[in-house]
Amino acid sequence: MQLRILTLNIWGVRYLAKLIDERLQALVTHLISPEVNYDIIGLQEVWSKTDYLYIRDHIKNIYPHSYYFLSGLFGSGCCMFSKHPIIGVYEHLYTLNGFPHKIQHGDYFAGKLIGLCKILINNHVINVYNTHLHANYHHVVPKDIYLGHRVCQAYELIQFIESTSSADTTHLTILLGDLNLTTNDLGFQLIQGVLQFHDCFLDRINKDIFDPTVGNNGFTCDIPGNPYVSPHPHHGEGERIDYILYRGRNDNVKCLEAYPTLHKVPNNLKGLHYSDHLAIYALLEINDEIPENKKIKPLENMEITDEKTRTLLSDACIIVEETIQRIQRQRMFCTFGVFILVFILFSINGNPLSNSYLYTIFTIIKNLFCLIGIAVSIWFICLGKPVERNALSSIQNAMRIRLQAPHFTY
């Protein structure tokens, strides 16, 4: 049995993304083309449910089964389409997902999550996870204020997949989406190290098969020449942050081919591109002739996490601890700021008998800004930062438990 899988971040930010209607039309045209034959399609950044419905209604004759993961203010942006029946869905909202005051980034309001669709294909239960982790806006570790959040999201992703992919009920586990992690990032190495996933692009058998319009380096984002991308000195020729990863219950699953695709829209005189990302295509093969190994290891043979994974977990705990310490410093800074603002609020108010209108207006504006600053600082001190600290501590404690306790490996 063969499975053809596609994942794409469509860059569907209404009113900000360029030419979104034309790009959606081109994507639909591609998906219904007789030249392609996907079984499962996972999309990210479908921020408008109207856009999801547009795609669904135009491809439902070929992909009759679909699901849109709703969450947050704008929706998670993740959705799935399948030729085969979706027999169950489940989702988990990330505990940490940026900051509400970073409105320009928007991740906090997006409600990013891990979406699971259980798909039944020829009596095989396939768990397909679609996710989109927090974006990296800085690309330099000391300035990356979201590093701790992405590491925690990666570990929550691990926990969710472990909890919902029982070897007794799941024949094949697939993780696809925009992870916003390169293969060298700690979060990605944790996902691979703990879950023992195969990377379709790296583990493909036919490495000479690729999309000639893209190349064979595997990069999926920040590709030079893409009109929707702003060049960044740390990107070089691009980054690989979109993935299709898999793990079979048995050693009967292999990836025949995998490569980035969907760059320029063919035969378009305007030079239209599908997205600011490239799609990833993978062809998996399940060999049903190989007998399944359903043996459960006895308790005394439980394996400790390998040394490399233990090192990764220790590094992740350090990053989270550094983030917690930064939160404590920010709370102290806000506390100090409150005292300064209170002092300014009750001083420099001038003579109340003065008839200077300009001075009166200045005093009113000054007091207004002080009150707003005091209110925001108190919110950070008493609510915003403690909630973030507790979420970080909770995931850090879970990682420490894994470091101390033996457990099954996959």
Side-chain angles (χ1 to χ4, degrees), residues 20 74 83 131 137-138 186 206 208 213 224 228 238 254 273 310 318 331 336 365 399:
I20 184 170
F74 306 120
K83 284 186 175 179
T131 194
Y137 296 99
H138 300 90
L186 175 61
N206 300 316
D208 295 330
T213 66
Y228 315 136
K254 56 186 177 181
H273 288 59
R310 291 180 63 84
I318 292 172
R331 291 183 75 196
F336 182 67
I365 294 175
M399 289 191 286

Side-chain angles (χ1 to χ4, degrees), residues 18-27 270 272:
K18 300 176 182 177
L19 304 171
I20 184 170
D21 291 321
E22 292 88 339
R23 293 190 290 108
L24 284 176
Q25 292 172 9
L27 177 61
K270 297 180 180 179
L272 189 69

Side-chain angles (χ1 to χ4, degrees), residues 2 37 70 84 106 136 141 144-145 157 163 180 182 203 217 239 246 252 269 276 290 300 333 360 371 373:
Q2 292 187 338
N37 184 28
L70 281 168
H84 310 277
N136 185 347
V141 170
D144 185 4
I145 61 175
L157 176 62
S163 301
N180 275 311
T182 68
D203 297 344
N217 55 21
E239 291 185 308
Y246 73 94
N252 64 338
L269 300 179
D276 61 342
I290 297 178
E300 60 269 19
F333 175 80
T360 302
L371 289 172

Side-chain angles (χ1 to χ4, degrees), residues 175-194:
L175 170 62
L176 55 82
D178 176 2
L179 301 186
N180 275 311
L181 300 168
T182 68
T183 53
N184 294 324
D185 285 338
L186 175 61
F188 182 82
Q189 294 180 8
L190 268 177
I191 292 169
Q192 271 207 309
V194 176

Side-chain angles (χ1 to χ4, degrees), residues 180-346:
N180 275 311
L181 300 168
T182 68
T183 53
N184 294 324
D185 285 338
L186 175 61
F188 182 82
Q189 294 180 8
L190 268 177
I191 292 169
Q192 271 207 309
V194 176
L195 295 176
Q196 296 294 296
F197 271 133
H198 296 280
D199 185 333
C200 281
F201 180 75
L202 295 182
D203 297 344
R204 67 198 190 281
I205 294 174
N206 300 316
K207 297 184 183 297
D208 295 330
I209 298 178
F210 60 93
D211 186 338
T213 66
V214 174
N216 202 19
N217 55 21
F219 295 148
T220 64
C221 187
D222 300 314
I223 307 297
N226 189 312
Y228 315 136
V229 172
S230 299
H232 194 285
H234 296 282
H235 294 162
E237 293 300 312
E239 291 185 308
R240 191 162 82 92
I241 60 176
D242 303 86
Y243 300 90
I244 299 176
L245 310 175
Y246 73 94
R247 184 187 72 219
R249 180 167 70 180
N250 197 23
D251 296 329
N252 64 338
V253 183
K254 56 186 177 181
C255 181
L256 300 182
E257 53 191 64
Y259 49 81
T261 185
L262 297 188
H263 187 34
K264 293 182 179 180
V265 177
N267 304 318
N268 185 277
L269 300 179
K270 297 180 180 179
L272 189 69
H273 288 59
Y274 287 100
S275 174
D276 61 342
H277 285 239
L278 297 181
I280 291 291
Y281 163 76
L283 173 61
L284 300 181
E285 183 177 74
I286 302 176
N287 188 348
D288 293 321
E289 296 181 358
I290 297 178
E292 292 189 6
N293 180 11
K294 295 185 178 180
K295 293 182 179 179
I296 303 297
K297 298 177 183 179
L299 186 63
E300 60 269 19
N301 290 336
M302 295 176 76
E303 299 182 31
I304 304 293
T305 308
D306 64 86
E307 192 60 34
K308 180 181 178 181
T309 305
R310 291 180 63 84
T311 301
L312 292 173
L313 284 169
S314 298
D315 291 343
C317 287
I318 292 172
I319 289 174
V320 175
E321 182 61 34
E322 290 173 349
T323 307
I324 292 173
Q325 294 302 319
R326 188 183 72 229
I327 289 172
Q328 295 300 94
R329 292 194 297 270
Q330 289 171 340
R331 291 183 75 196
M332 292 178 63
F333 175 80
C334 288
T335 303
F336 182 67
V338 168
F339 284 109
I340 293 177
L341 290 171
V342 169
F343 174 78
I344 296 174
L345 178 66
F346 291 103

Side-chain angles (χ1 to χ4, degrees), residues 337-338 341-343 345-346 369-379:
V338 168
L341 290 171
V342 169
F343 174 78
L345 178 66
F346 291 103
F369 274 100
C370 285
L371 289 172
I372 292 174
I374 291 169
V376 171
S377 298
I378 291 175
W379 184 87

